[in-house]
Amino acid sequence: MISAAVLTYSLQNKSVDNIYRKYFKDKPYSEDPGGDARLDRLYRRSCREQTTCLDEILKWYPKLLTREPSIGEVIGDLTLIRVLYSFERAFSEADKGALFEAVAIARMILEQVSWVFAVHGLDDGEVIKKTKTTKSIATTTAKFPQVGRLYGWMSDHAHWSYGAHMKVIVEDDESATSALLASSEFKAIAYAMLIALTFLVSEIVASILGSYLALSSAEEFKSWNATRGAFDAASMIDKMYHLSGEAPDIGLILNIVKVDRKNG
């Protein structure tokens, strides 16, 4: 009907129904072009599978410890469950091409997961209260250097640094300046960031849970590790990098993930 309306206007005709019957009545239209084969949906679904598996392991692993959980474990696991919801919100912004809004949520996720990494082994409520996010980022970066690199890139965008905010300034053919709110390139960058974040969150949580000897032989834990291993963030981002015409931001994020995978 939209096509019929456009053609009616172009032909300066007065009857949309007449144009529809003549040109469009028997013309098939796909209700969902591309469907599940679309790269963005494929990658988002792959990331969701990772977070879903993480949600499941958080539900059953405490039962294998055969002891009462510490304060840090309880509050840490509750934080991680909240993080999984935040991923959905970040992808919603990414789908709109709203890069800076997606970054704000993603940066919060990285801060929260880093905080969990810092407090998970603690059982002193006062110490946990005094554990700051900024210190947690440093603690996590000491074991996962790529966390610091990704966090720095995110902070440039969240804090509106010069290099970041210049990306939104555009000029049209008449040299008029305006602010770019969203774009397909912004969407690709946001997706690359969230794929990298999914991978790093998985690595951090695996490090936390890997410290429990009781989990090492559990079939559920082995299955989760197998699922994690099948998530090839580097290949996904590499494909996006080339499809985007080698966008610099995607290239930077790709290098972060490649280094992480190389270091094991």
Side-chain angles (χ1 to χ4, degrees), residues 223-242:
S223 176
W224 179 59
N225 268 327
T227 301
R228 291 194 322 106
F231 185 76
D232 193 348
S235 294
M236 295 161 69
I237 299 173
D238 183 65
K239 186 169 185 177
M240 294 176 62
Y241 177 60
H242 292 294

Side-chain angles (χ1 to χ4, degrees), residues 72-245:
E73 288 168 342
V74 172
I75 195 169
D77 291 352
L78 290 174
T79 301
L80 289 175
I81 290 172
R82 185 66 175 72
V83 159
L84 303 181
Y85 173 75
S86 296
F87 262 109
E88 290 297 316
R89 306 277 48 83
F91 267 109
S92 293
E93 295 303 324
D95 277 328
K96 299 179 181 72
L99 172 62
F100 290 83
E101 289 71 19
V103 167
I105 300 173
R107 184 173 180 269
M108 178 187 71
I109 291 173
L110 192 54
E111 288 178 341
Q112 292 177 344
V113 174
S114 295
W115 184 81
V116 172
F117 183 77
V119 307
H120 208 266
L122 302 177
D123 201 22
D124 187 325
E126 291 304 315
V127 175
I128 292 174
K129 284 181 183 179
K130 295 177 182 178
T131 303
K132 303 296 183 182
T133 299
T134 50
K135 182 179 178 181
S136 300
I137 289 290
T139 300
T140 310
T141 299
K143 184 173 178 63
F144 303 96
Q146 295 72 24
V147 167
R149 291 185 62 195
L150 185 61
Y151 186 72
W153 179 87
M154 290 174 172
S155 296
D156 284 343
H157 291 75
H159 295 158
W160 205 239
S161 71
Y162 180 80
H165 76 242
M166 284 299 293
K167 297 172 189 175
V168 310
I169 300 176
V170 295
E171 292 185 356
D172 60 24
D173 295 335
E174 299 177 357
S175 297
T177 303
S178 60
L180 181 63
L181 302 180
S183 72
S184 57
E185 182 176 351
F186 280 2
K187 176 178 178 176
I189 296 170
Y191 258 69
M193 170 196 66
L194 290 172
I195 292 169
L197 182 61
T198 300
F199 171 70
L200 286 175
V201 167
S202 177
E203 292 290 296
I204 294 169
V205 175
S207 177
I208 294 172
L209 299 184
S211 64
Y212 299 117
L213 294 178
L215 298 184
S216 60
S217 59
E219 290 302 320
E220 295 92 340
F221 189 70
K222 292 178 181 178
S223 176
W224 179 59
N225 268 327
T227 301
R228 291 194 322 106
F231 185 76
D232 193 348
S235 294
M236 295 161 69
I237 299 173
D238 183 65
K239 186 169 185 177
M240 294 176 62
Y241 177 60
H242 292 294
L243 288 173
S244 69

